[in-house]
Amino acid sequence: MPQSDTPPLVEIRGLRFSRGSRMIFDGVDLDIPRGKITAIMGPSGTGKTTLLKLIGGQLRPQAGSIRVDGKEVHKLSRDRLYALRKQMGLLFQSGALLTDLDVFENVAFPLREHTDLPETMLRDLVLMKLQAVGLRGARHLMPSELSGGMARRVALARAIALDPMMIMYDEPFTGQDPISMGVLVKLIRQLNDALGLSSIVVSHDVAETVAISDYVYLLSGGKVVAHGTPDELGGDQSEWARQFLEGLPDGPVPFHYQARDFAEDLMAGTEGGRE
Amino acid sequence: MLDGLQRLGQAGLRFFERLGRGHILFYYILAGIPSVLVRPRLLLQQVYSVGVLSLLIIVVSGLFVGMVLGLQGYNTLVDFGAEESLGTVVALSLVRELGPVVTALLFAGRAGSALTAEIGLMKATEQLSGMEMMAVDPIKRVLSPRFLAGFISMPLLAAIFSAVGVMGGYFVGVGLLGVDEGAYWSQIQASVDFDDDIINGVIKSLVFGVVAGWIAIYEGYDAIPTSEGVSRATTRTVVHTSLAVLGLDFILTALMFGEN
Ligand SMILES: Nc1ncnc2c1ncn2[C@@H]1O[C@H](COP(=O)(O)OP(=O)(O)OP(=O)(O)O)[C@@H](O)[C@H]1O
Ligand SMILES: [Mg+2]
């Protein structure tokens, strides 16, 4: 766990979660410190998106506790949970823009729902957020007219519209060209430092993520397999960390979804069995 | 044998589970209605897309149904020399039965399927999840306004259907077949009773509005969030709504017009 005097913003203890018979998290302990950028990395399908949804209270763990800002997410009443969510921004992997509203209205949506700002002020705020992600000129486009990377940036503008205390980014870099990637990396850092936010970045883009994060957790097989500052992890000689950070095909992290032996599976076809 | 029993039991359990989820959702939708009333713009938008956009199909169908009623009614009545009563036949069949029922069936096909597909796709593309994370309750923001819009639109559409139908009967009966114009209207005036016929017809429409809106919204909200899941849910909406409307119509008719 990262060392600090203030209590962590998110504190996860003994988290267990399964989908059907498949165990996704099997006793995860994890702290997200305040005011820092924490990266959560791990192979595809380990449950990074699931973890963000658990923190946001959209999924319920089978055991263990998740505290955000001292409040246990899954014991809050509905109203309190909603109040807490106003303080959390979640950037969905898919963007999740409202398809019947244009870019401007999408970013304005949380402001219209939760505040009574006069129209001129609302407009200024929205344009500021859009300017930050470089899409002020795209305000009249509908979500169907955006590229995947643009949609992600609009979603980012929307996630910061209410000035939350923390933002969770689910794969912010996928589908970005090198320029907007660079801008996004800087933006995440700036938002974090200038607004005093705390950020959680989930990503596969090892180099970019490690470069901006203050602390890194590596997840695999339902557990935290390594954690530390980027420097510590760089010096970490454990096989997990090496394999993931350097992108080696062979090692303890399996590339394949769990399955029975390949040869056995191929042979099963000759007996006409599909189970 | 045991296998069959097991499967039957499973299907039964699934059915009751769905029924239970449907009722819980219904309760939440109703609980969300007060928050819709304070935001009339949300409601108006939905009344437009659920109600106003259904107008064309309702008017055209109403006209044809009324014309057919005029033709069939005339052919039967003329044998008894009672063609003067054509107005009664046309108006009563429309106001009591065809108006509410056919409107509800058309509503299921036009608006209900659209509601299910829209909500199902919003779920599949994580828009509903996204709203939840922005601390906006999708039930209050998305479902309740649509439900209320259906509830308001249904009796209005049925009234328009019946009115246009009466006009259709008039064109055929009076215009083409030579029924006396004064008789047509005065028969309608004399035989259509406000309490017995109009109010009962409106009650039917309101019940159908609740059922059609509820089924369409539930199917969308409960859809498996994939293209296939949404397409199946859309089909189920039309089938279930139609069956429910016809079944309920029988029960309501028996209750309303049973004694006399
Ligand atoms: N709705 C669902 N129903 C059942 N299983 C699911 C569902 N969503 C995800 N899973 C399973 O949960 C596991 C974790 O999924 P998750 O989306 O959290 O992975 P991830 O780490 O975000 O992967 P990626 O990096 O590819 O986005 C996957 O193995 C997936 O099969
Ligand atoms: Mg993911």
Side-chain angles (χ1 to χ4, degrees), chain A residues 53 58 78 94 113-114, chain B residues 126 129 132 134 137 141:
Chain A
K53 289 193 170 168
Q58 290 203 311
R78 210 181 141 71
S94 62
E113 291 293 321
H114 295 304
Chain B
E126 292 197 301
S129 240
E132 273 178 22
M134 286 184 281
D137 183 350
R141 180 65 173 66

Side-chain angles (χ1 to χ4, degrees), chain A residues 53 56 58 78 82 85-86 88 90 92 94 96-100 109-110 113-114 158 162 168, chain B residues 28 39 42 46 118 122 125-141 146:
Chain A
K53 289 193 170 168
Q58 290 203 311
R78 210 181 141 71
Y82 270 54
R85 280 183 185 164
K86 283 185 207 169
M88 304 185 196
L90 170 59
F92 278 77
S94 62
L97 295 177
L98 299 171
T99 44
D100 56 339
F109 181 83
E113 291 293 321
H114 295 304
R158 185 177 71 174
L162 285 175
M168 301 184 270
Chain B
Y28 281 124
R39 294 180 64 179
L42 270 186
Q46 292 309 320
E118 185 187 16
M122 286 180 88
T125 52
E126 292 197 301
Q127 296 183 50
L128 297 181
S129 240
M131 273 192 200
E132 273 178 22
M133 281 310 298
M134 286 184 281
V136 175
D137 183 350
I139 296 184
K140 283 185 188 156
R141 180 65 173 66
R146 284 166 173 73

Side-chain angles (χ1 to χ4, degrees), chain A residues 45 47-50 93 170-171 202 204:
Chain A
K48 302 177 299 295
T49 301
T50 308
Q93 198 164 359
D170 197 351
E171 309 281 0
V202 161
H204 302 297

Side-chain angles (χ1 to χ4, degrees), chain B residues 180-197:
Chain B
D180 181 60
E181 177 171 2
Y184 187 83
W185 294 118
S186 64
Q187 283 284 344
I188 291 180
Q189 232 172 13
S191 61
V192 179
D193 184 76
F194 186 75
D195 289 348
D196 275 352
D197 301 318

Side-chain angles (χ1 to χ4, degrees), chain A residues 97-98 101-108 123 126-147 149-155 157:
Chain A
L97 295 177
L98 299 171
L101 301 177
D102 66 9
V103 165
F104 182 93
E105 285 301 322
N106 259 292
V107 179
R123 191 184 123 90
V126 172
L127 292 185
M128 270 162 58
K129 307 292 175 190
L130 281 174
Q131 174 75 9
V133 297
L135 289 175
R136 189 165 46 85
R139 77 186 95 151
H140 297 304
L141 296 183
M142 295 304 284
S144 57
E145 299 167 314
L146 300 175
S147 72
M150 286 160 86
R152 197 81 43 91
R153 282 191 278 159
V154 175

Side-chain angles (χ1 to χ4, degrees), chain B residues 116 230-240:
Chain B
T116 304
V230 173
S231 92
R232 282 192 191 190
T234 310
T235 309
R236 270 203 306 271
T237 292
V238 177
V239 173
H240 290 187

Side-chain angles (χ1 to χ4, degrees), chain B residues 90-109:
Chain B
V90 171
L92 284 186
S93 354
L94 281 168
V95 172
R96 286 183 176 182
E97 288 297 336
L98 293 172
V101 172
V102 178
T103 302
L105 296 179
L106 293 172
F107 184 91

